[in-house]
């Protein structure tokens, strides 16, 4: 489930829970299996993981079972209180997905104000003492935003950015013609 409608969502997330979503008990069982296997890090993603009511319990459970707990989020739901709760359960990192600065990001995310809300979420994480970074999906519609993302990193004292390829699944499968080819990807990475 998700509170946004991103044009490149590989999960084709909507604002409703999926009927096959794991119960809390099933999720704990998966976390037990991961801990028994020696997995060092659990990344809670989605859709939007913060719409799941028991996310804090699951993150705490992962930490209590010896795994680092991190979240990949659109950042729009991270209030000051939520950031404090995430810190309290032992969350060690929050990756916030942005697709550019305000105009471009809001168009990708399908909601005016999504950029502003994500920046508030980032600042709330920083205030709570949680390491935060950006996640950026490269494509032809936002590749010119990359230099501006680096400016944003400096301005907001964000220590990390990860660049991702477009995933051809969900709504992302409709954007194949907007994906960068190998040469274009190499150029922007260089």
């Amino acid at each position: 489930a998700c509170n946004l409608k991103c044009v490149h969502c590989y999960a084709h997330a909507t604002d409703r829970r999926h009927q096959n979503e794991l119960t809390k008990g099933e999720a704990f069982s998966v976390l037990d299996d991961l801990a028994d296997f020696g997995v060092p890090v659990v990344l809670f993603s989605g859709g939007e993981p913060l719409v799941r009511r028991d996310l804090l319990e699951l993150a705490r459970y992962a930490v209590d079972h010896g795994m680092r707990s991190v979240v990949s989020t659109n950042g729009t739901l991270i209030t000051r209180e939520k950031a404090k709760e995430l810190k309290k359960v032992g969350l060690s990192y929050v990756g916030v997905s942005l697709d550019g600065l305000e105009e471009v990001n809001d168009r990708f995310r399908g909601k005016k104000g999504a950029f502003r809300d994500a920046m508030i979420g980032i600042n709330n994480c920083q205030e709570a003492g949680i390491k935060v970074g950006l996640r950026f999906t490269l494509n032809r519609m936002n590749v010119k935003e990359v230099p501006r993302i680096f400016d944003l990193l400096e301005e907001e004292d964000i220590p990390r950015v990860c660049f991702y390829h477009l995933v051809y699944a969900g709504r992302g499968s409709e954007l194949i013609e907007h994906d960068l080819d190998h040469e274009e990807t190499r150029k922007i990475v260089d």
Side-chain angles (χ1 to χ4, degrees), residues 5-161:
K5 291 184 174 65
C6 304
V7 298
H8 57 332
C9 179
Y10 58 84
H12 212 318
T14 64
D15 61 356
R16 286 180 266 141
R17 284 186 56 186
H18 192 275
Q19 66 185 24
N20 294 326
E21 185 175 315
L22 296 178
T23 65
K24 187 186 333 182
E26 291 169 333
F28 284 153
S29 180
V30 169
L31 291 170
D32 286 335
D33 288 345
L34 294 173
D36 290 345
F37 191 70
V39 169
V41 180
V42 175
L43 168 66
F44 293 95
S45 187
E48 172 51 50
L50 291 171
V51 300
R52 187 171 169 124
R53 289 187 177 103
D54 58 2
L55 175 69
L56 293 171
E57 292 175 79
L58 297 175
R60 166 58 77 196
Y61 194 84
V63 170
D64 289 347
H65 286 78
M67 296 175 282
R68 273 186 62 223
S69 187
V70 299
V71 170
S72 176
T73 174
N74 62 43
T76 63
L77 301 176
I78 305 176
T79 62
R80 273 195 175 103
E81 186 57 38
K82 182 63 71 178
K84 289 176 187 174
E85 291 171 352
L86 292 169
K87 177 69 174 176
K88 187 176 179 181
V89 301
L91 197 77
S92 60
Y93 178 77
V94 173
V96 176
S97 297
L98 290 179
D99 298 300
L101 296 190
E102 190 166 8
E103 181 182 338
V104 173
N105 185 77
D106 287 1
R107 185 174 65 245
F108 269 82
R109 299 283 155 182
K111 180 183 176 196
K112 189 165 180 57
F115 177 83
R116 182 196 67 236
D117 292 345
M119 292 307 302
I120 291 169
I122 288 167
N123 293 328
N124 288 338
C125 286
Q126 290 170 321
E127 286 178 19
I130 300 173
K131 184 177 177 185
V132 66
L134 301 183
R135 301 167 56 82
F136 186 98
T137 300
L138 289 165
N139 61 76
R140 287 192 175 105
M141 296 181 291
N142 70 355
V143 71
K144 291 181 180 174
E145 292 286 287
V146 171
R148 297 175 76 192
I149 289 295
F150 280 100
D151 292 339
L152 181 69
L153 292 169
E154 286 187 37
E155 292 165 11
E156 297 294 328
D157 197 27
I158 300 169
R160 178 179 178 169
V161 61

Side-chain angles (χ1 to χ4, degrees), residues 136-138 163-168 179-180 185:
F136 186 98
T137 300
L138 289 165
F163 293 98
Y164 296 91
H165 295 283
L166 187 64
V167 176
Y168 301 149
D179 199 8
L180 300 175
T185 301

